[in-house]
Amino acid sequence: MAAELDTAAAALLSVWEAARERTTSRLSGAQLRAVMVVERYDGINLRRLATLLDMLLSSASRLCDRLVAAGMLEREPGRLDRREIALHLTPEARRLLAELRRDRRQRLADVLAGMTDEGRQALLRGIGEFDRVARAGERPAEPVAGWPSASPTAWVGSSAEPVARSA
C-alpha cells in the first residue's frame, strides 16, 4: 500500500511542480517555501522563519534579502522591539501565490475530470483521513508561545488548508 501511495504521490507532486515551474519560475523552491511561511504567519520574525524552514539564521537572512530585492517581501521594524524585523508579503507575492494556486487547482481539476465520481469521492475521503492522521502524529520541534505547533512540512506548498478542502 505504501509503495502505491508513493507512486500516486509522485504523480501529484509532478502536477504541483508543473504549476510551480510555470507560475513561479523566478523563485527557487526555498524562496517559494519562505513566501508561503510568511503568508501563513504574517509578521513573522527572521528567527522564527529560519526555524520553520530548518535553516541557519544567516541563510534565512540572505534568502529574505533576495526576496526583498525581488519585490516579494517587505521588512518592517517590530512593534514591541524595533530591533526585531517583521516580514510581510507584498501585493506582488500575493498575486503570484494566487496564480500558482489557480494553476495548480486547474491542473488537479483536469486529472480529477478523468476519474469516476466514485473514485473522486473515495480519494477525497481517503486523503482527508490521511491528512488528519499525519497532522495528529506531528511533534513540534520547538514550541513557541503564540505560534501553532504544527510542522510546516505538512502545509508548505499547499494553500495552508487541509488537502480535502482544496479539491
Side-chain angles (χ1 to χ4, degrees):
M1 177 80 167
E4 290 86 355
L5 180 57
D6 184 55
T7 300
L12 176 63
L13 289 173
S14 71
V15 169
W16 279 20
E17 183 60 21
R20 190 197 73 76
E21 285 179 9
R22 188 185 83 70
T23 309
T24 62
S25 58
R26 63 189 185 144
L27 294 182
S28 70
Q31 289 172 327
L32 181 59
R33 283 191 308 276
V35 166
M36 291 180 150
V37 169
V38 173
E39 177 189 39
R40 183 169 174 102
Y41 302 112
D42 185 47
I44 190 172
N45 67 31
L46 190 57
R47 183 172 308 281
R48 182 66 177 152
L49 178 66
T51 299
L52 289 174
L53 293 176
D54 196 26
M55 296 178 113
L56 295 172
L57 186 58
S58 59
S59 298
S61 180
R62 286 190 302 275
L63 181 70
C64 287
D65 289 343
R66 290 189 297 276
L67 287 168
V68 168
M72 296 287 133
L73 286 185
E74 295 175 340
R75 290 184 170 126
E76 172 185 75
R79 293 188 178 118
L80 300 176
D81 181 351
R82 305 294 277 168
R83 293 171 296 174
E84 186 174 280
I85 301 297
L87 301 168
H88 304 281
L89 294 184
T90 63
E92 182 178 354
R94 291 187 188 287
R95 281 190 298 277
L96 183 94
L97 290 175
E99 183 181 340
L100 170 64
R101 289 188 180 110
R102 275 192 307 276
D103 188 30
R104 193 171 59 197
R105 288 175 182 169
Q106 181 57 56
R107 289 170 188 270
L108 289 170
D110 292 346
V111 173
L112 291 169
M115 295 175 65
T116 64
D117 186 52
E118 180 180 279
R120 285 190 300 270
Q121 293 305 315
L123 175 63
L124 189 59
R125 280 191 310 277
I127 202 74
E129 184 175 345
F130 182 92
D131 181 55
R132 285 188 299 280
V133 170
R135 288 175 190 264
E138 292 175 351
R139 291 184 16 203
E142 231 180 270
V144 175
W147 289 93
S149 61
S151 165
T153 58
W155 46 262
V156 169
S158 75
S159 62
E161 298 173 8
V163 174
R165 288 189 225 142
S166 62

